[in-house]
Amino acid sequence: MQPLVEPELLGQSLVNRGIISKKELQSAMLQQNLMSGKTDLTQILVQLGYCREKDVSRALAELAGIPFISLEGYPIDPAAIATISTKAARRYQALPIEFTETGDLVMAVVKPLGRPALDDLRLLTGYQLQTVLVTACDFEAAIRNFSMAGVQLAVKEERESPYEDEPEVHLLSGDSEEPAVQLANTILTQAVNAKASDIHIETYEQKVRIRFRIDGVLHNVFNPPWQLYRALVARFKIMANLNIAERRLPQDGRMSVKVDGKIVDVRVATMPVGSGERVTLRLLERTANLLTLEKLGVDEQILSQYKKLLHLPYGFITVTGPTGSGKSTTLYASLGALDSVSKNVITIEDPVEYRLTGINQIQINTKAGLTFASGLRSILRNDPDIIMVGEIRDRETARIAIEAALTGHLVFATLHTNDAASAISRLTEMGVEPYLTASSVSGIMAQRLARLLCSYCKEKYILTRKEADSTIMRLDGEEKLTLYRPRSGGCLHCNHTGYAGRIGIFELLLVSEKIKQLTVQRAPAGEIRRQAVAEGMVTLLQDGLAKAKQGLTSLEEVLRVVM
């Protein structure tokens, strides 16, 4: 293909701009002649160190009359990239990077393209094009970041998969040239790299929105063309082995994928809405490192008390909090602190989020009749010392778990309540007799997850009694507090949010004789809570305020997750 700008003309332009000397240009041309003209002149100039690739690209853009941009840190739109295959992008050395307000597609090219190539790209993408010039280095980096080469088949093996009916998924299966296939792959790759826990795909009157939940907060990531929406939903349904023809009823499925060497279990849920269907994907990375209780952010006083509970010979220990508050992670960290060599530890979960060496883990399978209640009965017939129940959802499961604790087993479980004291009332509401709860429950840990302040850009400030809620000052007992908050606009390290990562906020209720009496008397949660505080319980708000004073999180974040 004949270049639109002759290398000699480009070389002369570099001389005129003072980037290289005439002698250096002549030296490069001599080198090119020795190589029989097989290597581009500008490439030789860069190789010899006479100029930078960016200098050449700027001069080339000026001669061709098109803008030059740097892709470093550029907000590339994955929906734009999905309009072309990786193979075609490499063939034309052209990469779609965003849509304009008028609906044109911006195409980043390494070299100016002639009309035949541009016509081909218009037909391939279905959009009118606007071209910008980028360096070959930037082009290759963008191709690597958005290429589907890092997404591989997650092979189904007995030792690797807890799901008997889990579909084998190859993200490149099907026609990998299809934009919907590429977009689905890109969404999963970007979500895993961003450490997202959930992906939300929604449509509103011919508008599509893709959001990632990162550190507990939803972020709008990009808005792909509405024309791709149905095909994208169908793609995820196929991957999760769902019925693509059924759009009137909710569906649930799961799949397993490998992204850049990480095995990720994905739970897929679809739901009919007014404008079509929405899809929610929950990402669970199998190979994630298991956190310790210390790394979760448990305060030393609470940690000391909680570890004593872990070494009791029997009893019922529950972790409470709303969905997404990190209850399962705390239970896994608790099991990791136990001796699994001399103890028979069995868990029943839905899903199995982490693989623990030396621990028997059972995956719920409702289709096959394996529920929490039936699985728990089976566990009790296998001589367990320690049992973990992923979630107590009904009366039967609660009753069996409580009875197991009363018959010499240490039982861990999660409940959905807002604080520790409410867990006792919740068990009563489920039909567990209060005297059984009082006899079996040893301790209740309530928790939340708060976002960590970015250590690079957090700001210190003084909060006075006049500016603060009186509750905060009463808890602290001071006229003013030294606190920290996110800097407006954040920085590159926190993706301009002011926060990076999360930390736990906890309260631990120890069941004393007085609280046992209140339980048997069916006392309300408020009265049980007041008694626990009188006995020294550190509340969620107090623990959160302590972490805010340490500069780990902000007061606003504590109030958001606790109040």
Side-chain angles (χ1 to χ4, degrees), residues 373-431:
S374 64
L376 197 47
R377 287 195 206 92
S378 177
I379 288 172
L380 290 172
R381 292 192 289 269
N382 281 270
D383 187 32
D385 295 299
I386 299 168
I387 303 168
M388 185 187 102
V389 184
E391 182 182 345
I392 292 183
R393 300 174 180 172
D394 52 61
R395 176 180 179 177
E396 188 176 11
T397 305
R399 182 181 59 79
I400 298 170
I402 291 290
E403 289 177 356
L406 288 170
T407 54
H409 304 90
L410 186 60
V411 180
F412 296 90
T414 69
L415 275 173
H416 283 92
T417 63
N418 288 327
D419 59 18
S422 299
I424 293 174
S425 302
R426 177 72 178 131
L427 288 170
T428 303
E429 290 168 5
M430 282 185 168

Side-chain angles (χ1 to χ4, degrees), residues 158-172:
E158 288 297 324
R159 61 179 173 81
E160 189 171 75
S161 171
Y163 311 125
E164 289 185 7
D165 58 346
E166 181 183 272
E168 298 179 6
V169 175
H170 196 325
L171 292 189
L172 287 176

Side-chain angles (χ1 to χ4, degrees), residues 75 92 197 237 277 292 306 487:
Y92 291 98
S197 61
K237 283 185 172 182
E277 283 182 285
T292 62
Y306 186 69
R487 188 180 73 194

